Amino acid sequence: MGKLSIVWSDRSNQSSLKKEVKEEFHKPRSRQCSNHDIIKEPNRSVSFNSSGAETVCSKENFILGRWIRFTGSGGTVIPDNPPQPHHCGTINPGWIKGGHPSESEGVVNRQLCFVNGDDNCEFDSYEISIRNFGKYYVYRPPNITKCSLGLCTKILHGCFYKPVGVASSTIIPDRQMTASSFWKEKINCGAMYGRLFNVSGFGWCAGDNRTTDKSNWLQVDLGKEFYVGAVATQGGAWRSYTTDFKLFYSSDEGTWQAYQNGNGKEVEFHRKKGLGVDRHKLRIPVVARYIRFYPTKHILWDCLRVEVYGIFKGELILSKYNERILKCYTAVSSVKVNAKTTKEHHEPECHPCVYRKLNEAYRYWNHTNHPYLGYDKDKLTNGQWYRFTGRAGVMMANYCIPHLSCNAHMAGWINGSHPMRTYQLVSTTVCFHWNQNCCYISYPVEIMNCKGFYVYKLQKPGDSRARHCGVKDSPPPQGETEARELLLKPDTNRVL
């Protein structure tokens, strides 16, 4: 067996870092958890179009040095992706670059970026502190000196998976960390060192350097069954780390099942950050007590540090929506895969118990004589997947349709392209046409091609007069073609 030379360049730095991480992790939760300001401003939502509206001046809303928490219909977290300009009640909307931390990371600093035209990270000298308290985040914003800069917020949907606690030996004891083997020629390479952010050793490193699938593994006993929705991985110390791995899970440590995608193929997770932290979302959550990580590829050696994210199976689910989705995903993951299942439900978003149907006749684009039945601001659930079907049509138009279509003042359409490949997921924009402005208000949307139909991750429109409209096909059939040509005519005096 080849030798791997690992040397700490500075033992004092190692001790200092270990002390710093330990102190930060065990800080009393009360300081930021209970002593923060609540910000509840609907206009901060990423779906709020600020054009022509009164804008938010962030420097007037925050007390320097104070922690804040976002709540309410505007959103609960600052987005991790750049919003559109002139949204969120401001000219240059702000977002977090680098992602949000796990609960075990304690307080972290991230880059605070602001969108300015085509530049998604203008004015990027700002830094913001963040802490994860499991069910919500708190932020300590910097002194934002320009009134055109404002923080965006979005609603965090789905099951809010939190770290189970692998990073802490007080939550997951050493005896619950096991492995196929460990590298005995070096100290501090056992399974108990395979914890995320552990700095007391090299992380878990396998006893041999074989790359054969399933020969080396690191196992975590969570102590009880969890709905597991994600894992995080980190390389070992110095230059050794796993680059690819597979995941197995069990409820009794006797029967193991490989994590698979919808067509029954084992998923091989790829790591991009080397010695850094990668987070891997499980598209179909699983129920498990035992989790095994099987390295399949590595740089120098199979070394790994891990965390598991989930919700205790006996824990109360916070909302009926989360409970329904969680039960649905669990049902999907337990369905025996066959040809029919593979064809129809390759991805969970395409499963009938995940999406909801929009089939109202008044939702069809040319319907204008139906009495008022409530607009989408009252009918939709933010972040829910929807499918157009029946008399509503089969999809949303990807061209500007006349305002007053689908019996609404503001007619919603897709300002972009639908996904072409089966099970392809794209991000684009929903626009609402009003008074000769085809994109009077807008918000970002996700669309998935479900092999025969589309599903849309919709939000409540920012205006109470708006509705998402359906069409029969794309390109548009007779009638819809005429409407499209009418809109494209260079007659600026025409009012639709």
Side-chain angles (χ1 to χ4, degrees), residues 447-459:
I447 310 173
M448 176 169 282
N449 183 330
C450 290
K451 198 170 186 178
F453 62 93
Y454 298 104
V455 290
Y456 304 80
K457 193 173 186 180
L458 302 180
Q459 298 181 22

Side-chain angles (χ1 to χ4, degrees), residues 64-348:
L64 186 62
R66 289 279 296 178
W67 289 87
I68 62 173
R69 174 186 172 188
F70 294 101
T71 65
S73 60
T76 56
V77 297
I78 301 175
D80 294 329
N81 298 304
Q84 297 183 50
H86 295 277
H87 277 66
C88 315
T90 189
I91 298 172
N92 307 116
W95 59 285
I96 301 294
K97 186 175 183 180
H100 283 67
S102 65
E103 191 173 4
S104 60
E105 289 180 77
V107 178
V108 302
N109 292 325
R110 292 287 190 263
Q111 187 176 1
L112 181 60
C113 290
F114 293 90
V115 177
N116 183 25
D118 295 331
D119 192 337
N120 288 330
C121 204
E122 185 69 72
F123 316 114
D124 58 1
S125 60
Y126 289 96
E127 188 175 71
I128 188 170
S129 299
I130 313 172
R131 183 158 189 180
N132 181 342
F133 281 110
K135 296 180 180 179
Y136 61 89
Y137 295 98
V138 293
Y139 304 87
R140 185 167 57 194
N143 182 22
I144 301 174
T145 57
K146 296 185 179 181
C147 202
S148 65
L149 310 183
L151 300 184
C152 273
T153 54
K154 69 175 184 178
I155 295 177
L156 191 63
H157 292 286
C159 303
F160 194 106
Y161 296 108
K162 54 187 178 182
V164 172
V166 181
S168 171
S169 60
T170 60
I171 299 175
I172 303 294
D174 288 348
R175 65 178 180 274
Q176 292 177 213
M177 303 283 294
T178 55
S180 56
S181 61
F182 66 94
W183 193 27
K184 298 178 181 178
E185 295 182 17
K186 291 289 182 180
I187 61 173
N188 300 346
C189 287
M192 71 285 292
Y193 298 103
R195 305 175 184 274
L196 201 70
F197 304 116
N198 180 278
V199 294
S200 61
F202 300 112
W204 167 72
C205 293
D208 59 55
N209 211 24
R210 292 177 295 171
T211 58
T212 304
D213 190 18
K214 303 178 186 177
S215 60
N216 295 323
W217 49 262
L218 171 65
Q219 177 178 313
V220 181
D221 175 6
L222 304 179
K224 49 192 175 184
E225 283 190 320
F226 281 77
Y227 291 104
V228 177
V231 297
T233 58
Q234 186 180 17
W238 203 57
R239 300 177 182 176
S240 304
Y241 54 88
T242 296
T243 59
D244 297 84
F245 67 95
K246 291 186 177 181
L247 207 61
F248 280 65
Y249 59 96
S250 173
S251 292
D252 57 10
E253 204 177 10
T255 303
W256 290 89
Q257 184 172 345
Y259 183 75
Q260 302 174 346
N261 59 19
N263 62 5
K265 183 179 179 181
E266 293 183 6
V267 175
E268 186 171 23
F269 296 90
H270 177 65
R271 301 190 61 252
K272 299 179 180 179
K273 297 184 179 179
L275 301 179
V277 177
D278 289 271
R279 291 179 176 83
H280 316 272
K281 181 180 179 181
L282 307 187
R283 294 187 67 84
I284 303 177
V286 299
V287 177
R289 172 177 171 175
Y290 303 91
I291 302 292
R292 276 187 183 179
F293 298 80
Y294 283 91
T296 56
K297 298 176 185 177
H298 63 254
I299 298 295
L300 293 183
W301 213 269
D302 284 336
C303 293
L304 202 58
R305 289 175 281 180
V306 303
E307 178 61 90
V308 178
Y309 295 78
I311 301 175
F312 171 45
K313 190 176 179 181
E315 185 177 344
L316 177 66
I317 306 302
L318 298 179
S319 71
K320 291 182 179 180
Y321 171 73
N322 284 349
E323 185 174 15
R324 186 178 69 84
I325 294 298
L326 196 56
K327 287 181 178 179
C328 175
Y329 278 174
T330 304
V332 173
S333 64
S334 63
V335 170
K336 183 178 180 181
V337 176
N338 53 43
K340 184 176 181 180
T341 303
T342 301
K343 180 179 179 181
E344 295 181 356
H345 307 142
H346 186 284
E347 297 292 347

Side-chain angles (χ1 to χ4, degrees), residues 383-400:
Q384 168 69 50
W385 289 92
Y386 290 93
R387 173 186 176 182
F388 286 78
T389 184
R391 298 177 68 184
V394 298
M395 62 187 295
M396 291 184 68
N398 58 356
Y399 51 89
C400 181

